[in-house]
Amino acid sequence: MKPDTIAEAHAARVADADPLIPTMQPLQPSEDRILLTAAAGGSHAAGLAGLVEHSDQESRSIYHPLREYQLAVRIAGDQPDAALSALLTQWDDELAERAEPGDRESAAVVLRPSRDTAGTAALLEHGFAPIRGIAVRPADRLGAGSGPTPGVYVRAAGPEDLPTVTALGMELLEFDSQFGVVNLREVSEQMVASMSKGYIRGEDPSIWIAEVYGQPLGVVTLQLPPSSDWARPYVAADKVGYINSMAVSTAARGTGVGTALTAHTHQIFDEAGVDVALLHHALANPRSTPFWYSQGYRPLWTYWYRRPAVR
């Protein structure tokens, strides 16, 4: 079966599974991305394999290994696990020639629509685990959720809040580093402070502080269009609001601070007319995953990781 035919069948299945996934495009090989194909059990799979590298001095390295081997997958047929397993075996042969065994700064990554579960058993068989997710919340939910939280006041962050924002950001990173998503670097704190400073200086407020009886105990950072347009390829929507991060001090967890920040964020998104809100989160985090889904979010994309890429 030709790769374009595989892509068409794959796109049809994904569209049935989740209408918020954008139209799945055919795979286009290039100088740095090679096309792999496989067949097994009467089913077919195609994949586009490439490498994305990061410097440990850039902010993206906080959320990515320095060497990220990626595989974009398309599957067609009634035996998706057999076809995907054959494709992953081919990819493993490629990785054996490109990646250093045991390199903890490497990862093999497959991004899949969360509701397209075809091939899940093959990913598990080849040592992948669902590590990171993109969650989505459609707009038009005015009136949903709880009312104001007593004692919690949400305000825009100012330059004087930079130490608080940085400290809460680092507390979040240190907790999330347990779940395979965050990489703590020597320059992590400097990066968090620099990014936060940039958001605080923006024309429109994009960092908001939650105070509990005057004490700052929570922070949320968000993006509105056009700053959030980079996230549009992940969802079938025109206007996307994106939550970069939300951190609540350990002392304030369970007090409603997170709910107050989320309600405020959703109000901003509604006033801006966004169609959906998106966010990334660590799937194994026992706090953030249930919290976000209780706030109206649901899985959209799942990042399957194997780290190191070659064991």
Side-chain angles (χ1 to χ4, degrees):
M1 186 180 291
K2 293 181 178 180
D4 286 356
T5 305
I6 298 172
E8 289 174 4
H10 181 93
R13 187 185 65 253
V14 170
D16 287 339
D18 192 342
L20 284 181
I21 295 293
T23 301
M24 305 292 285
Q25 301 298 322
L27 301 174
Q28 299 293 336
S30 61
E31 290 186 1
D32 56 351
R33 291 192 176 269
I34 61 172
L35 182 66
L36 304 175
T37 59
S43 295
H44 300 262
L48 200 62
L51 169 64
V52 176
E53 296 186 276
H54 307 284
S55 164
D56 61 4
Q57 300 299 306
E58 63 177 313
S59 59
R60 286 183 61 81
S61 71
I62 295 177
Y63 300 101
H64 298 271
L66 300 185
R67 289 163 289 281
E68 198 168 66
Y69 297 88
Q70 301 176 347
L71 183 69
V73 170
R74 305 288 188 268
I75 313 169
D78 297 329
Q79 299 292 325
D81 286 300
L84 181 56
S85 182
L87 183 72
L88 292 174
T89 297
Q90 282 196 36
W91 191 32
D92 283 340
D93 292 340
E94 291 286 334
L95 291 176
E97 298 180 1
R98 298 170 182 266
E100 180 180 346
D103 177 12
R104 291 297 303 170
E105 281 292 356
S106 72
V109 183
V110 180
L111 177 61
R112 301 291 314 280
S114 300
R115 290 184 172 180
D116 178 27
T117 57
T120 296
L123 287 164
L124 294 170
E125 176 189 346
H126 285 260
F128 288 82
I131 298 296
R132 192 178 187 211
I134 299 179
V136 61
R137 177 186 184 273
D140 300 324
R141 293 177 180 266
L142 286 173
S146 59
T149 305
V152 180
Y153 170 66
V154 179
R155 60 170 177 80
E160 70 280 1
D161 294 305
L162 186 58
T164 297
V165 172
T166 302
L168 287 172
M170 285 303 301
E171 187 175 331
L172 175 64
L173 291 182
E174 288 167 1
F175 187 76
D176 268 352
S177 67
Q178 303 174 87
F179 310 115
V181 172
V182 167
N183 307 280
L184 293 176
R185 311 286 183 192
E186 291 184 4
V187 293
S188 290
E189 187 169 356
Q190 178 185 337
M191 290 179 183
V192 171
S194 177
M195 288 187 291
S196 300
K197 191 174 183 179
Y199 282 116
I200 289 175
R201 286 182 172 177
E203 293 183 4
D204 298 316
S206 54
I207 298 187
W208 296 84
I209 297 286
E211 293 184 344
V212 180
Y213 299 110
Q215 184 177 2
L217 293 175
V219 59
V220 64
T221 305
L222 57 92
Q223 288 181 319
L224 292 169
S227 297
S228 58
D229 285 352
W230 64 268
R232 287 180 59 192
Y234 291 107
V235 64
D238 291 328
K239 296 186 69 175
V240 177
Y242 183 76
I243 299 179
N244 294 66
S245 66
M246 188 174 73
V248 176
S249 173
T250 303
R253 288 180 183 144
T255 64
V257 170
T259 299
L261 283 169
T262 304
H264 185 79
T265 298
H266 291 163
Q267 180 180 344
I268 293 172
F269 286 162
D270 287 340
E271 291 174 352
V274 304
D275 300 311
V276 299
L278 295 181
L279 57 87
H280 285 77
H281 69 102
L283 290 171
N285 187 324
R287 294 169 178 159
S288 67
T289 298
F291 172 80
W292 287 119
Y293 296 160
S294 74
Q295 300 298 311
Y297 290 81
R298 57 94 164 165
L300 184 67
W301 292 92
T302 301
Y303 292 82
W304 290 79
Y305 272 66
R306 186 177 67 203
R307 188 169 182 179
V310 177
R311 294 175 174 172

